[in-house]
Amino acid sequence: GALWQSTDFGTTWTQITGWTGSGTGDVRSIDYVDGHVGFMAHNSAAPLGSVLRTIDGGANWVLLDDIPTNSGLNSIFAVDTNTAYAVGEANGGTGVLLKVTEN
């Protein structure tokens, strides 16, 4: 659940807090479309996977609604500024592949 950001090629790091899930669970994957817009796959301690989106380079993250029940997410791939695909653990014997869109 910890997220860190460096703006000087790793010399110094700043923790990003205040987003839904911050401090618990695991940040599993982050993928950016460009220098501003990106998507994060995050798992709670349960685990229950969620998807968050940033439009300011990762300073702030917003939880996206309407993610189906799952047993944790493993990775995310950003297609464009409003679309990403996430994959996760099998839930009830079925693998998880999500198309996430934000309008």
Side-chain angles (χ1 to χ4, degrees):
L3 182 64
W4 297 80
Q5 178 183 38
S6 176
T7 57
D8 57 9
F9 302 100
T11 301
T12 60
W13 293 87
T14 304
Q15 188 171 13
I16 306 298
T17 60
W19 48 276
T20 302
S22 177
T24 62
D26 295 308
V27 174
R28 298 294 298 186
S29 178
I30 296 176
D31 193 32
Y32 280 83
V33 175
D34 55 30
H36 302 284
V37 180
F39 292 85
M40 175 198 313
H42 175 266
N43 291 336
S44 69
L48 174 63
S50 59
V51 175
L52 296 93
R53 179 174 167 242
T54 183
I55 58 171
D56 60 8
N60 297 286
W61 293 87
V62 175
L63 179 66
L64 301 182
D65 295 330
D66 299 328
I67 303 300
T69 301
N70 62 77
S71 297
L73 299 177
N74 293 327
S75 189
I76 196 157
F77 175 75
V79 176
D80 59 38
T81 57
N82 295 313
T83 310
Y85 286 93
V87 295
E89 298 296 324
N91 185 18
T94 304
V96 175
L97 173 62
L98 305 174
K99 179 181 180 182
V100 182
T101 57
E102 177 65 13
N103 296 325

